[in-house]
Amino acid sequence: MFELRVCEKVRALGLEPELWLGTDQPDALDVSFRVPRGKRSELWGTDEKDWASPVLLARSFRWPIEPECDRRFLVVPEHRAQVPGYLTDLRTELTGRTDPARPFKVVTEKQLLTEIRRALARQGGGSCAR
């Protein structure tokens, strides 16, 4: 399962992800975790989606109101991103369909892990407690 794979990879980076399994609807997070930032931490939320059609995904996608996240990511698997035009079509279809008060970034699984590694490197690496 895509969400479990992302969760395990986040855990392998030393973070403590929280799964939101069983609630996966267009308005539910799949994984959330805290990333250190100075003396506090940021709550990062992800929603993993593996849809064949980027257009249908964009048309049905809504970011959840709770929990309130500092950073948000719509994560797609690498095999979808390798389909020519997939990410471009997804981002284009999302334009104007999302709440500007809850911006999120469309990334692949690998890009998400790179974002986490960069954030951890800025803090000197290490893990983060809740």
Side-chain angles (χ1 to χ4, degrees), residues 14-29:
L15 300 177
E16 297 178 27
E18 181 177 344
L19 280 170
W20 297 72
L21 294 178
T23 62
D24 194 4
Q25 311 219 350
D27 62 351
L29 286 178

Side-chain angles (χ1 to χ4, degrees), residues 10-89:
V10 168
R11 185 172 284 121
L13 293 175
L15 300 177
E16 297 178 27
E18 181 177 344
L19 280 170
W20 297 72
L21 294 178
T23 62
D24 194 4
Q25 311 219 350
D27 62 351
L29 286 178
D30 289 322
V31 180
S32 65
F33 48 91
R34 294 200 169 273
V35 175
R37 183 178 174 115
K39 293 183 178 181
R40 62 177 290 266
S41 62
E42 292 182 328
L43 180 62
W44 288 22
T46 67
D47 198 348
E48 288 74 17
K49 298 293 184 197
D50 187 4
W51 288 43
S53 170
V55 172
L56 294 178
L57 170 54
R59 289 180 182 171
S60 71
F61 187 76
R62 300 291 175 270
W63 194 270
I65 293 173
E66 295 293 331
E68 187 58 45
C69 299
D70 297 297
R71 296 197 60 196
R72 300 164 184 86
F73 300 89
L74 171 55
V75 186
V76 298
E78 299 301 321
H79 70 274
R80 297 291 182 207
Q82 292 172 3
V83 174
Y86 188 94
L87 289 176
T88 300
D89 291 347

